[in-house]
Amino acid sequence: MLEAETGFREGHPARALPCEPRPAYDPDRTTLTQRRYAKAAEIEAMPRPEAVRCGLQHLSYRTLVRLSGLAGESLLLACADGRWTRRRSGHRSITKEVREAIFAVKAECGPRARLSQGAKHRLMHQYMSERFPTFPTEKIPSRWTFAAVWKEWFGPGGARPRYGRTAEAAAEAGVSGRMVVHRPGQVLVLDSTPMPVKLRETVFVDAITATLTLALDLYTHGLPAFRLTLQSDTSVDIAMLLRDVMLPLPMRDGWGEDMEWPYAGVPAEVIAEFTGHRVAALPFFAPETVTTDHGGPYKNHRR
């Protein structure tokens, strides 16, 4: 890497070895990119057994670029990337009984609220005493070993339990992976938030808090519908919001032509014939997928 960066294997002209710099790595005649490609080609031309013995079988141009940002101890640590070290054998205290207990605790913690590692460790002790009464208590892993194994197997966590349950349910249903949104109406996002300002229902009443509920089309980032609700929203408001998404807004008296929504590729006469009236500036479509938060109004059966 040093030869590709500087043209000298020791990394500096003052420590140049005999016959350096080589023609393909002369810094006065080649660029940094040319030297990197030359080094990658040199490594690729090496016999496979020799490259494996030296640990260079995976060295490429991108690897040289990545290593160029490191220096000193960081460069040495980057070279020790695990290709020459043996795989970790795991924790010897995790027997098949302990493994069964850990997965049982994992299944038990799913529908519960967030539990600490200490509480999970006690649940593992309870499971071991009930399921395997003859198992020696002193051989049950400590709390710190349990926490390390939990992090290795299930990740660091940190998410809210209800979000974790949603992710598990989506994985069981086969809804996973990256979604590519390629048309309007494919994904509709609903969310509610209290407005930062207060509103008056009439002139002579006190100001009250209002809730703004938005429907966002993920493809166009447009707002097909929105609703303002005094105090908090309800499931009926969410249902009416979805109705507004799928039904176009009619033109009101006094609205000018600039308020009429231009649907790309569809004549206005066709839209008017479909809806029975002129359509105002509000897009409408039948959404394919609707994503919401975990609020109570979104879970109600009325929606």
Side-chain angles (χ1 to χ4, degrees):
M1 192 279 294
L2 293 177
E3 186 177 20
E5 293 295 317
T6 63
F8 304 92
R9 297 183 182 181
E10 295 294 331
H12 197 274
R15 297 188 294 270
L17 300 177
C19 301
E20 282 189 349
R22 293 190 291 173
Y25 304 99
D26 190 351
D28 297 332
R29 299 182 180 181
T30 58
T31 62
L32 177 59
T33 302
Q34 291 174 343
R35 294 194 296 272
R36 287 172 176 170
Y37 276 113
K39 178 59 67 175
E42 178 183 348
I43 298 300
E44 187 178 359
M46 291 178 60
R48 181 67 179 181
E50 181 180 354
V52 172
R53 285 197 304 269
C54 297
L56 301 176
Q57 69 274 19
H58 300 293
L59 186 66
S60 62
Y61 171 80
R62 296 299 305 173
T63 305
L64 293 172
V65 174
R66 178 176 59 85
L67 295 178
S68 64
L70 306 174
E73 295 295 332
S74 299
L75 179 59
L76 296 178
L77 293 176
C79 293
D81 56 357
R83 296 171 187 167
W84 292 355
T85 57
R86 68 179 182 89
R87 298 186 61 180
R88 185 174 179 178
S89 57
H91 300 273
R92 289 177 293 180
S93 59
I94 305 300
T95 61
K96 61 179 182 179
E97 295 86 359
V98 175
R99 177 184 174 86
E100 179 182 340
I102 292 177
F103 277 95
V105 172
K106 174 64 175 177
E108 178 68 19
C109 293
R112 292 192 177 188
R114 183 178 299 179
L115 298 178
S116 64
Q117 292 293 345
K120 296 175 184 176
H121 187 248
R122 288 192 295 270
L123 287 176
M124 185 187 70
H125 267 271
Q126 295 176 5
Y127 184 89
M128 294 291 295
S129 62
E130 296 175 1
R131 183 71 174 80
F132 308 104
T134 60
F135 192 88
T137 307
E138 62 274 6
K139 291 187 177 181
I140 298 179
S142 65
R143 175 182 174 183
W144 310 112
T145 304
F146 173 80
V149 172
W150 189 280
K151 184 176 181 180
E152 292 176 5
W153 291 2
F154 310 118
R160 295 183 179 181
R162 58 184 182 183
Y163 294 155
R165 293 192 296 267
T166 301
E168 293 177 0
E172 293 177 358
V175 182
S176 60
R178 183 180 179 183
M179 176 182 294
V180 179
V181 182
H182 55 82
R183 65 174 179 83
Q186 183 178 359
V187 177
L188 186 69
V189 181
L190 303 184
D191 195 10
S192 300
T193 180
M195 293 192 65
V197 296
K198 293 184 178 295
L199 304 179
R200 291 180 183 272
E201 187 176 4
T202 61
V203 178
F204 301 103
V205 298
D206 296 334
I208 58 177
T209 303
T211 301
L212 176 63
T213 306
L214 296 176
L216 174 69
D217 178 33
L218 201 58
Y219 182 81
T220 62
H221 288 186
L223 297 177
F226 69 92
R227 294 185 73 86
L228 279 175
T229 308
L230 299 180
Q231 299 299 338
S232 61
D233 56 345
T234 63
S235 58
V236 177
D237 298 317
I238 305 302
M240 296 303 295
L241 181 71
L242 291 175
R243 175 185 178 276
D244 295 340
V245 171
M246 294 185 290
L247 293 179
L249 182 67
M251 290 284 290
R252 307 298 185 186
D253 296 336
W255 289 5
E257 294 183 356
D258 55 343
M259 291 294 296
E260 188 173 1
W261 177 261
Y263 290 89
V266 181
E269 293 78 6
V270 176
I271 301 297
E273 182 180 358
F274 170 74
T275 59
H277 52 74
R278 295 176 61 193
V279 178
L282 191 66
F284 70 99
F285 44 73
E288 178 179 334
T289 303
V290 178
T291 62
T292 67
D293 60 9
H294 292 75
Y298 293 96
K299 296 182 179 180
N300 195 289
H301 68 279
R302 295 180 180 176
R303 188 181 66 84

